[in-house]
């Protein structure tokens, strides 16, 4: 049995954009192996975070840090190629946000990158049983975080 490793993956959702370059560099120098980038569209979740230009900038500032792009958007399949082209090392899609999860997983893997699947708090984790051999990560959104923070979080908020 392969034991999962624990990786600290700071999210840039609360990043201060006035000092984005400096903050990203500091996180990298502090030893962050991954950066977690939450992309929100105002539809799948009610808030909007940021999009491709910010992802491109992150990769330019810290090119050696593994970037997981978490697509909290409707029809994420339409954006997988775009975020891959911008430097995503892994793309995480929501079980609840895709029409065909297996097709989304296969599409992500077709670019030679890792695939994660996220589930919202109300979704039983067992829905992923048939996909566990096909993905590299499961992201379970915590109920208290999902309801109190995610649905009301705004970029720059800590």
């Amino acid at each position: 049995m392969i034991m999962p490793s624990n990786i600290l993956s700071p999210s840039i959702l609360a990043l201060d954009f006035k000092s984005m370059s400096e903050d990203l560099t500091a996180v990298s120098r502090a030893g962050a192996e991954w950066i977690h980038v939450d992309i929100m569209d105002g539809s799948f979740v009610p808030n909007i975070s940021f999009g491709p230009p910010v992802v491109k900038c992150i990769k330019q500032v810290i090119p050696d840090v593994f970037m997981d792009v978490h697509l909290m958007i409707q029809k994420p399949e339409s954006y997988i190629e775009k975020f891959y082209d911008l430097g995503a090392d892994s793309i995480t899609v929501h079980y609840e946000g895709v029409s065909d999860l297996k097709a989304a997983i296969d599409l992500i893997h077709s670019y030679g990158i890792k695939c994660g699947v996220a589930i919202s708090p109300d979704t039983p984790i067992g829905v992923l049983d048939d996909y566990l051999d096909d993905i590299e990560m499961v992201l379970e959104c915590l109920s208290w975080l999902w309801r109190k923070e995610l649905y009301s979080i705004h970029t720059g908020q800590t």
Side-chain angles (χ1 to χ4, degrees), residues 119-121 139-150:
I119 58 171
S120 66
L139 177 61
E140 183 177 15
C141 298
L142 301 175
S143 181
W144 66 269
L145 176 66
W146 189 261
R147 290 195 178 89
K148 289 185 178 180
E149 298 294 330
L150 184 58

